[in-house]
Amino acid sequence: MKILPLVLLALGVSFFLAHTIQIQKAATDLTGYRLCAGQTNQYECLESYFLKLLRTSDPKTTLGTLAKADGEDSNILRICHPLVHRIGRESYNIIGNAVAAFGVGDETCANGYYHGVLEGYLSKSPKLEDAVVNVCKSNEDVSGYIYFQCIHGLGHGLMFKTGDDITQSLKYCDLLKSTYDQQSCYGGVFMQNIVNDFPYSTGHGKPVVKASDPLYPCDDDAVVGDRYKSGCYFLVTSQIIKLTYPDWSKMAGWCDKVPTTYRYLCYQSMGRDVSGATLRDPVKGYAACQTSAPAHLGDCVQGFAKDLLEYDSKNPTAKVFCDLVDSKYKPQCFAALGQMIGSIYTKTEERNKACQALTKDYLNNCLGIIN
């Protein structure tokens, strides 16, 4: 979910014919996405290319090619999350089994592939209640990170299945047994509502938003009850940013309007979106976070740090960033990295090794050890 969405304009029939021929020729060319550079409707062009590539190859090849494209073109990086939703959804349609489709995916573009698989799965599930409760299984062979992507993906899938009905989707999330599972699912619901507000078609419906109030629907008790507000506010800056970018102080100003109970979540959300907007640049990211209210700068730092490992579990920038921040916030920064590491690695020795590679002075923070 990145910023600066492309404005899609109507195209003539002659362009569509030429474009279709180009994509068909390029689909077996692993650099064919370059044909979309500069196109007015780059998202639709890329979607056509990658879906064609998927059907003529496999998910691994397709995701690997998209990851390469991200490194070449920042415009692709900004719109790649909905692209991998489509790839995941179509992969499920091709494979026909959610577990098998999950098994050939990866975290490219903030894990959107997994979310798309759940969209495809739930859209074809005749007994939705059973599907919600049974599709995500946790065991020692599944990392907490992948388990989270499944539960979170349920929220996306429920929005797709219900025609983007927030209330109905949240009620289905309530079928999950644990508070952690429910909250993770709520996050998928609210994230999808925000993505629906971007000007390209992903197969979803219209968003529940207000242009004049980027805190909506989180601040409307009739739409979002108390039990759902944490999940909503943890993603709210991805809506705020559409109104305030590139002025981070204005985003912080909106976070200051959030009720005190949830304000820290808004600032963590800000850190995550600062990471995406600055393309995970530690210097630019920390400068943006410093526009936060002083009491919440550490929350922004945490959000930024976590996002660094969201894309790459061994991202060297994570250490650079936490070494860069003021010593007052280093414990929070390394603790945030440790939380991500704890969800990625299933074995204690692996988590210990990952934290030891990041820090010596703040090792206990990374490992979650309270002195």
Side-chain angles (χ1 to χ4, degrees), residues 43 47 51 54-55 81-97 101 112-124 156-157 159-161 164 192 195-196 201-205:
Y43 175 83
E47 183 184 89
L51 289 181
L54 175 66
R55 293 165 189 145
H81 187 76
L83 279 172
V84 279
H85 266 247
R86 288 291 290 114
I87 293 169
R89 195 189 311 161
E90 187 62 20
S91 293
Y92 173 79
N93 291 337
I94 293 170
I95 296 170
N97 180 283
Y113 171 88
Y114 299 122
H115 308 163
V117 169
L118 270 297
E119 287 178 345
Y121 170 72
L122 292 184
S123 70
K124 296 185 177 181
H156 289 272
M159 287 286 277
F160 190 70
K161 176 70 172 181
D164 296 282
Q192 188 59 56
V195 172
N196 290 348
S201 175
T202 59
H204 282 267

Side-chain angles (χ1 to χ4, degrees), residues 65-319:
T65 304
L66 179 55
K68 178 182 178 182
D70 287 347
E72 295 180 3
D73 186 342
S74 60
N75 285 329
I76 295 178
L77 179 60
R78 291 183 175 106
I79 60 176
C80 69
H81 187 76
L83 279 172
V84 279
H85 266 247
R86 288 291 290 114
I87 293 169
R89 195 189 311 161
E90 187 62 20
S91 293
Y92 173 79
N93 291 337
I94 293 170
I95 296 170
N97 180 283
V99 175
F102 239 69
V104 293
D106 64 32
E107 70 277 7
T108 297
C109 299
N111 303 285
Y113 171 88
Y114 299 122
H115 308 163
V117 169
L118 270 297
E119 287 178 345
Y121 170 72
L122 292 184
S123 70
K124 296 185 177 181
S125 297
K127 296 183 178 180
L128 188 55
E129 293 87 351
D130 291 343
V132 169
V133 172
N134 295 319
V135 66
C136 299
K137 300 295 183 183
S138 178
N139 58 55
E140 62 181 10
D141 296 323
V142 177
S143 72
Y145 183 75
I146 293 299
Y147 181 70
F148 167 77
Q149 294 307 327
C150 186
I151 295 295
H152 176 81
L154 278 176
H156 289 272
L158 286 167
M159 287 286 277
F160 190 70
K161 176 70 172 181
T162 64
D164 296 282
D165 185 316
I166 290 178
T167 301
Q168 190 177 4
S169 296
L170 292 172
K171 287 181 178 178
Y172 276 113
C173 289
D174 287 334
L175 295 173
L176 298 169
K177 293 182 179 180
S178 73
T179 300
Y180 173 83
D181 289 358
Q182 291 170 353
Q183 290 290 337
S184 300
C185 185
Y186 301 159
V189 171
F190 292 119
M191 181 178 176
Q192 188 59 56
N193 184 59
I194 291 170
V195 172
N196 290 348
D197 194 37
F198 284 93
Y200 35 71
S201 175
T202 59
H204 282 267
K206 293 182 179 180
V208 178
V209 296
K210 289 183 178 179
S212 61
D213 178 13
L215 300 182
Y216 185 83
C218 304
D219 57 359
D220 188 335
D221 293 345
V223 180
V224 179
D226 287 344
R227 69 179 299 155
Y228 307 121
K229 286 189 182 293
S230 293
C232 194
Y233 280 118
F234 184 62
L235 291 157
V236 72
T237 58
S238 294
Q239 192 65 21
I240 295 173
I241 200 170
K242 300 171 187 177
L243 185 66
T244 62
Y245 182 82
D247 191 332
W248 298 110
S249 63
K250 287 185 178 179
M251 176 179 283
W254 278 102
C255 281
D256 289 337
K257 295 179 182 181
V258 170
T260 305
T261 302
Y262 308 107
R263 195 170 299 162
Y264 77 100
L265 293 171
C266 186
Y267 274 102
Q268 288 184 11
S269 178
M270 176 174 167
R272 181 195 62 247
D273 284 321
V274 163
S275 175
T278 61
L279 301 181
R280 290 167 288 286
D281 183 298
V283 175
K284 292 180 180 178
Y286 189 45
C289 276
Q290 286 175 302
T291 67
S292 304
H296 293 287
L297 174 53
D299 295 318
C300 185
V301 165
Q302 282 187 301
F304 189 99
K306 286 184 177 181
D307 195 66
L308 293 175
L309 297 188
E310 177 80 17
Y311 282 78
D312 180 358
S313 63
K314 297 181 180 179
N315 186 354
T317 304
K319 175 176 171 56

